[in-house]
Amino acid sequence: EVQLVQSGAEVKKPGESLKISCQASGYRFTNYWIAWVRQMPGKGLEWMGSIYPDDSDTRYSPAFQGQVSITVDKSKNTAYLQWSSLKASDTAFYYCATLATVAAQEIIWFFDFWGRGTLVTVSS
Amino acid sequence: EIVMTQSPATLSVSPGERATLSCRASQSVGINLAWYQQKPGQAPRLLIYGASTRATGIPDRFSGSGSGTDFTLTISSLQSEDFAVYHCLQCRKWPWTFGQGTKVEIK
């Protein structure tokens, strides 16, 4: 059974750094992209970026490029999302999700399994 | 960036009735369109991928259609557990983008 277990809720002050995690099990971790998705309070979903654990190939949404860092530790089957200097506007739920592909008349991508989310609260 | 626009923002439906949700892309995404259901306090759940393929375990009252720029999610007979927010997602072109969501509420 595929499981993505995310780290617990965090309360931080503006300017602090943070690294949250997503530990995967139940499948071959290195063979599937993992994505991070933000959901601000009462808002929709935003794709932040994705990483391919086998070679750490990483793609960021322009909205998040330079704002966060996505990494993996293959030995721990874990993906990370990191900030060097948090802002109040980073307050949100952050979800990790695995990416699946299906070959049809084109290559179809979608997020299939999701973690339960990590709530990050940034407040002075 | 491809902009995904969902309508309506809120849909009021009585249990047992049909619900039709729309998702429109600012440029063609082929069939690289997925639908998700999200209940309060929960992670999104995959319903449909490839515009029309139901994910494993999804009841057949959920159906997806469309290609190119216009897509529809239909719930044929709403059950109490279907009242939630529904999101569409395009994965045709980076950056991947979601619609803003449609809330299906009890009428």
Side-chain angles (χ1 to χ4, degrees):
Chain A
E1 178 194 6
V2 174
Q3 285 199 316
L4 298 175
V5 178
Q6 295 191 231
S7 49
E10 301 273 1
V11 179
K12 292 288 190 179
K13 291 182 168 29
E16 291 186 331
S17 63
L18 177 64
K19 190 174 189 178
I20 62 175
S21 66
C22 170
Q23 184 172 38
S25 62
Y27 72 99
R28 196 178 193 98
F29 178 69
T30 51
N31 285 15
Y32 294 87
W33 288 81
I34 283 195
W36 286 96
V37 175
R38 182 174 80 173
Q39 188 167 39
M40 298 175 77
K43 302 297 184 183
L45 303 168
E46 301 171 90
W47 172 70
M48 302 174 71
S50 301
I51 189 164
Y52 190 65
D54 193 42
D55 61 7
S56 292
D57 183 11
T58 310
R59 312 290 170 91
Y60 292 96
S61 167
F64 293 94
Q65 179 85 48
Q67 308 303 308
V68 297
S69 178
I70 296 172
T71 57
V72 293
D73 183 335
K74 288 192 285 188
S75 69
K76 296 180 179 178
N77 281 6
T78 300
Y80 300 96
L81 179 65
Q82 185 170 4
W83 295 260
S84 59
S85 181
L86 286 160
K87 310 183 207 42
S89 57
D90 293 317
T91 295
F93 268 98
Y94 293 88
Y95 295 99
C96 61
T98 57
L99 282 160
T101 60
V102 171
Q105 59 258 48
E106 56 183 288
I107 301 296
I108 307 300
W109 293 80
F110 52 96
F111 304 153
D112 51 0
F113 296 98
W114 293 68
R116 291 191 170 190
T118 295
L119 176 61
V120 174
T121 304
V122 184
S123 173
S124 53
Chain B
E1 170 174 319
I2 298 177
V3 177
M4 307 301 290
T5 303
Q6 291 186 241
S7 61
T10 304
L11 187 60
S12 298
V13 186
S14 299
E17 287 189 341
R18 183 186 197 91
T20 302
L21 288 67
S22 174
C23 177
R24 177 164 288 177
S26 61
Q27 60 184 268
S28 176
V29 299
I31 58 168
N32 236 309
L33 190 286
W35 289 95
Y36 296 85
Q37 177 193 67
Q38 188 178 27
K39 296 179 181 178
Q42 295 186 17
R45 172 195 179 199
L46 175 66
L47 297 175
I48 301 283
Y49 63 90
S52 61
T53 303
R54 270 189 303 277
T56 302
I58 300 303
D60 61 7
R61 64 179 180 274
F62 291 92
S63 63
S65 63
S67 65
T69 60
D70 289 295
F71 300 87
T72 301
L73 175 70
T74 302
I75 312 170
S76 59
S77 175
L78 270 155
Q79 307 298 303
S80 57
E81 62 267 30
D82 301 335
F83 292 97
V85 177
Y86 292 84
H87 308 272
C88 62
L89 164 69
Q90 71 81 18
C91 291
R92 178 67 180 271
K93 191 175 174 184
W94 308 92
W96 295 342
T97 44
F98 289 89
Q100 79 279 19
T102 290
K103 181 179 181 180
V104 177
E105 63 176 25
I106 300 174
K107 188 173 182 180

